């Protein structure tokens, strides 16, 4: 996909990111043949993903909940953002894979990963262009030392601005995600009934 088109698609998907997970989840549910093992393993993956999101939200706070085209007032480089640039989306990947695993159809893991990539690669390109525009050289330095997707567990730079994490703020920010996880788990658990 050409970069300009990826950015346009990324902006479109970013503004709808609260709703885009539902069509794949409903497809997984339609195809599901869950077992106790698939439900438990999928739930564990989803809990891991949500733990990553809570950690990230404890550092980023309300900045991640913006709906506009502009990034927040400061570049967040603490907590999980010191090890990878997209920990919230990494958490989302585990949530998506957990839902696919709950289906009991392990081949849906590949579909889940492909759908995730189709959404988040353009979203990240779009976000990165906004962050470069807002933070310039500071963002470029951050990108040079911090991988986009796979965490690098190196010691964060000493001069990085630190944010005092707030678990309370993170739990509040994640309230809709908690409800969505509970709804998905309940739907898969009840799937054998319909």
């Amino acid at each position: 996909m050409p970069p300009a088109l990826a950015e346009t698609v990324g902006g479109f998907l970013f503004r709808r990111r609260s709703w885009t997970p539902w069509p794949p989840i409903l497809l997984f549910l339609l195809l599901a043949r869950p077992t106790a093992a698939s439900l438990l393993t999928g739930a564990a993956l989803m809990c891991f993903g949500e733990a990553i999101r809570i950690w990230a939200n404890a550092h980023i706070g309300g900045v991640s909940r913006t709906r506009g085209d502009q990034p927040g007032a400061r570049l967040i480089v603490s907590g999980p953002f010191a090890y990878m640039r997209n920990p919230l989306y990494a958490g989302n990947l585990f949530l998506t894979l957990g839902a696919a695993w709950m289906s009991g159809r392990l081949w849906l893991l590949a579909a889940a990963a492909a759908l995730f990539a189709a959404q988040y690669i353009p979203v990240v390109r779009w976000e990165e262009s906004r962050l470069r525009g807002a933070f310039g050289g500071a963002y470029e330095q951050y990108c040079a030392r911090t991988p986009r997707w796979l965490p690098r567990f190196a010691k964060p730079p000493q001069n990085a601005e630190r944010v005092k994490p707030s678990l309370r703020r993170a739990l509040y920010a994640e309230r809709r995600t908690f409800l969505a996880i509970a709804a998905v788990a309940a739907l898969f658990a009840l799937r054998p009934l319909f």
Side-chain angles (χ1 to χ4, degrees):
M1 181 180 303
L5 178 59
E7 243 185 80
T8 301
V9 170
F12 176 84
L13 293 171
F14 176 85
R15 288 184 282 280
R16 289 153 184 84
R17 70 192 183 281
S18 294
W19 300 104
T20 55
W22 287 104
I25 288 170
L26 293 174
L27 176 64
F28 301 161
L29 187 63
L30 181 68
L31 298 171
R33 296 293 178 263
T35 64
S38 72
L39 291 171
L40 289 173
T41 304
L45 284 170
M46 292 181 88
C47 287
F48 180 68
E50 184 56 18
I52 295 170
R53 287 186 54 84
I54 290 169
W55 184 27
N57 268 303
H59 287 266
I60 201 168
V63 174
S64 70
R65 296 290 178 209
T66 57
R67 297 277 178 211
D69 286 355
Q70 297 304 315
R74 65 177 189 255
L75 181 61
I76 305 297
V77 297
S78 62
F81 295 93
Y83 305 104
M84 67 185 311
R85 297 195 310 256
N86 296 291
L88 284 164
Y89 297 155
N92 289 354
L93 174 61
F94 284 101
L95 291 174
T96 303
L97 293 175
W101 200 296
M102 279 186 170
S103 74
R105 306 283 188 151
L106 296 184
W107 59 269
L108 285 175
L109 288 169
L115 291 169
F116 181 87
Q119 175 174 349
Y120 284 102
I121 288 172
V123 165
V124 166
R125 281 189 188 207
W126 180 84
E127 283 185 326
E128 287 179 347
S129 73
R130 299 306 174 277
L131 291 164
R132 275 188 187 87
F135 302 109
Y139 184 68
E140 291 297 337
Q141 289 175 1
Y142 173 66
C143 288
R145 71 176 179 265
T146 312
R148 183 179 283 143
W149 292 110
L150 297 175
R152 180 182 311 146
F153 294 105
K155 185 176 178 183
Q158 295 299 318
N159 62 348
E161 179 183 350
R162 297 289 172 237
V163 174
K164 183 177 181 189
S166 170
L167 181 60
R168 183 174 159 215
R169 182 178 61 212
L171 294 174
Y172 180 77
E174 285 296 289
R175 66 194 182 284
R176 291 187 321 207
T177 308
F178 293 140
L179 291 173
I181 291 169
V184 167
L187 287 170
F188 279 104
L190 295 172
R191 176 61 175 96
L193 301 178
F194 55 92

